[in-house]
Amino acid sequence: MASRESAIAEALAIFDTGQFQARLAELVSIPSTSQDPAYAADVDRYLEEAMRPWLERMGFTVEIYANSHPAGGPILVATRMEDSRSETILTYGHGDTVRGLDEQWREGLSPWALKPEGDLWYGRGSADNKGQHAINLMALEAVLAQRQGRLGYNVKMLLEMSEERGSLGLREFVAAHRELLAADVLLASDGPRVAPETPTIATGTRGTYHFDLAVSLRPGAVHSGHWGGLIADPALILAQALATICDRKGRILVRDWLPPGGVPASVKQVLQGCVVGGGDEIAPDPDWGEPGLTAAEKIYGWNGFIVLAMTSGRPENPVNAVAGEARAHCQIRYVVDVPPETFVPALRKHLDAAGFPEVAIEKPGVRLAASRTDPANPWVQFAAASMEKSLGQKVQVIPNASGGLPGDIFMDYLSVPLVWVPHSYNGCKQHGPDEHLLAPIAREGFAAFAGLWWDLGEGNTPAAR
Ligand SMILES: [Zn+2]
């Protein structure tokens, strides 16, 4: 007799008998990096050879679309419609990876060959994102087998191949295919858990806003002996302007950049007791950032200001000169509680009031938009309850993931609530050498998704109520 328990047991067997590891090894062996045009054929091959036949075997109708952005990779949409009156689950993944960085991996490892060492399974894309969407699909296969091919709901999947280039063309694609992608909820996996041992649901992402601060005083550098001490130094002016933006302890002083009422009560509530980090070599500095906030509130409920890079003169080859210009490339990681179009006017007002009219704000703009589904949304609660039942553990809901994901696009055009269930951890080294999947988290992912895919067919989802 098929049951929730037997579905979870079947999914765990896929993991325990090595079938998942073998499938992941196949996926990792395709060097589908989108960051090097030399691998464009492998980017195509990932969808055509690795994903299309697999999804078709599961009963999906698969279509692969060219990207309207000239530099963007193809986009796969798979649909598995059982009954248009039933609820529809949209899932998402990306099959592209960052560069291999082949020569930087530890001795004995290489990006395009999966190599398990105990619980750490090394390979490019193992965590970001091949392993994560493979877990969800293989768990779905287990539930399909238990349900004899009939889920009781519809599933759609969008797989893009340009995520590591900022999801080129994805917004235009989703806007143009609203009907094709229409769904009741987005249920997908990417990114890390809040801590390796803590099952997590993220209901959005923080956004990224970038701008340069530039102090350009004269066309070129002049002799530091003849002019130093006589004329203004752009580096010193820039450093002092930056010091008015954040204090010595990283507290943001441009108060108009921050959520007006503080961290919203609903966000504070879900973050109560939320741990941060773990599994990584670095730990939060206890005194850095906004006083009075917990570490979780600082990164999930507040905005951060980061100087990504700054220069004056040539640090690698200094000469005896007062530089003509100094420049800092800055980033704000922001939550949905502050509209990003207010960042520049607030900063201009702040710099002028602080006596820095010569500090220019250049090239401002949103790179990734912030998104958030209310953590109290019934779909979030449904998923959390299902996972807690499957894993026997509390699930930590966070109002946004710490990294970027294109969830805002799905909210904007499909109006779906976002339920991100990450299957990785902060120490996974995604985007660097030695990327790996942590096997115990992957195994829990199988149980969590088998339970979810099962529960969605039981007739009591938020859409059915
Ligand atoms: Zn990534």
Side-chain angles (χ1 to χ4, degrees), residues 94 98 128 163-164 430-431:
H94 67 91
V98 295
D128 182 17
E163 198 271 349
E164 301 296 1
Q430 64 183 101
H431 294 197

PDB file of all heavy atoms in Angstrom, residues 94 98 128 163-164 430-431, ligand 1:
ATOM      1  N   HIS A  94      18.609  26.198 -12.072  1.00  0.00           N
ATOM      2  CA  HIS A  94      19.502  26.655 -13.145  1.00  0.00           C
ATOM      3  C   HIS A  94      20.593  25.619 -13.366  1.00  0.00           C
ATOM      4  O   HIS A  94      21.177  25.097 -12.419  1.00  0.00           O
ATOM      5  CB  HIS A  94      20.042  28.066 -12.901  1.00  0.00           C
ATOM      6  CG  HIS A  94      20.967  28.225 -11.734  1.00  0.00           C
ATOM      7  ND1 HIS A  94      22.340  28.093 -11.862  1.00  0.00           N
ATOM      8  CD2 HIS A  94      20.738  28.526 -10.446  1.00  0.00           C
ATOM      9  CE1 HIS A  94      22.897  28.316 -10.674  1.00  0.00           C
ATOM     10  NE2 HIS A  94      21.960  28.569  -9.800  1.00  0.00           N
ATOM     11  N   VAL A  98      29.037  28.775 -12.456  1.00  0.00           N
ATOM     12  CA  VAL A  98      30.136  29.734 -12.626  1.00  0.00           C
ATOM     13  C   VAL A  98      31.291  29.005 -13.323  1.00  0.00           C
ATOM     14  O   VAL A  98      31.216  27.803 -13.588  1.00  0.00           O
ATOM     15  CB  VAL A  98      30.598  30.328 -11.280  1.00  0.00           C
ATOM     16  CG1 VAL A  98      29.493  31.160 -10.659  1.00  0.00           C
ATOM     17  CG2 VAL A  98      31.052  29.245 -10.325  1.00  0.00           C
ATOM     18  N   ASP A 128      25.286  24.216  -6.451  1.00  0.00           N
ATOM     19  CA  ASP A 128      24.729  25.417  -7.107  1.00  0.00           C
ATOM     20  C   ASP A 128      24.689  25.190  -8.619  1.00  0.00           C
ATOM     21  O   ASP A 128      25.637  25.506  -9.292  1.00  0.00           O
ATOM     22  CB  ASP A 128      25.591  26.632  -6.740  1.00  0.00           C
ATOM     23  CG  ASP A 128      25.087  27.929  -7.328  1.00  0.00           C
ATOM     24  OD1 ASP A 128      23.928  27.983  -7.752  1.00  0.00           O
ATOM     25  OD2 ASP A 128      25.869  28.886  -7.383  1.00  0.00           O
ATOM     26  N   GLU A 163      21.719  31.969 -15.022  1.00  0.00           N
ATOM     27  CA  GLU A 163      21.569  32.511 -13.672  1.00  0.00           C
ATOM     28  C   GLU A 163      22.862  33.134 -13.189  1.00  0.00           C
ATOM     29  O   GLU A 163      22.875  34.178 -12.547  1.00  0.00           O
ATOM     30  CB  GLU A 163      21.117  31.410 -12.703  1.00  0.00           C
ATOM     31  CG  GLU A 163      20.520  31.932 -11.401  1.00  0.00           C
ATOM     32  CD  GLU A 163      21.530  32.156 -10.292  1.00  0.00           C
ATOM     33  OE1 GLU A 163      22.709  31.731 -10.414  1.00  0.00           O
ATOM     34  OE2 GLU A 163      21.178  32.769  -9.287  1.00  0.00           O
ATOM     35  N   GLU A 164      23.975  32.497 -13.539  1.00  0.00           N
ATOM     36  CA  GLU A 164      25.271  32.994 -13.054  1.00  0.00           C
ATOM     37  C   GLU A 164      25.742  34.220 -13.846  1.00  0.00           C
ATOM     38  O   GLU A 164      26.843  34.723 -13.643  1.00  0.00           O
ATOM     39  CB  GLU A 164      26.326  31.880 -13.095  1.00  0.00           C
ATOM     40  CG  GLU A 164      25.967  30.653 -12.254  1.00  0.00           C
ATOM     41  CD  GLU A 164      25.876  30.925 -10.750  1.00  0.00           C
ATOM     42  OE1 GLU A 164      26.081  32.069 -10.344  1.00  0.00           O
ATOM     43  OE2 GLU A 164      25.566  29.976 -10.005  1.00  0.00           O
ATOM     44  N   GLN A 430      30.440  27.411  -3.124  1.00  0.00           N
ATOM     45  CA  GLN A 430      29.899  27.696  -4.453  1.00  0.00           C
ATOM     46  C   GLN A 430      30.569  28.976  -4.947  1.00  0.00           C
ATOM     47  O   GLN A 430      30.887  29.849  -4.152  1.00  0.00           O
ATOM     48  CB  GLN A 430      28.382  27.855  -4.403  1.00  0.00           C
ATOM     49  CG  GLN A 430      27.926  29.046  -3.584  1.00  0.00           C
ATOM     50  CD  GLN A 430      26.404  29.136  -3.486  1.00  0.00           C
ATOM     51  OE1 GLN A 430      25.829  28.752  -2.481  1.00  0.00           O
ATOM     52  NE2 GLN A 430      25.777  29.646  -4.509  1.00  0.00           N
ATOM     53  N   HIS A 431      30.803  29.064  -6.223  1.00  0.00           N
ATOM     54  CA  HIS A 431      31.440  30.229  -6.873  1.00  0.00           C
ATOM     55  C   HIS A 431      32.957  30.250  -6.672  1.00  0.00           C
ATOM     56  O   HIS A 431      33.625  31.076  -7.272  1.00  0.00           O
ATOM     57  CB  HIS A 431      30.846  31.561  -6.407  1.00  0.00           C
ATOM     58  CG  HIS A 431      29.413  31.738  -6.832  1.00  0.00           C
ATOM     59  ND1 HIS A 431      28.785  32.948  -6.836  1.00  0.00           N
ATOM     60  CD2 HIS A 431      28.517  30.848  -7.292  1.00  0.00           C
ATOM     61  CE1 HIS A 431      27.539  32.794  -7.263  1.00  0.00           C
ATOM     62  NE2 HIS A 431      27.358  31.518  -7.539  1.00  0.00           N
TER      63      HIS A 431
HETATM   64 ZN    ZN B   1      25.393  30.625  -8.076  1.00  0.00          ZN
END
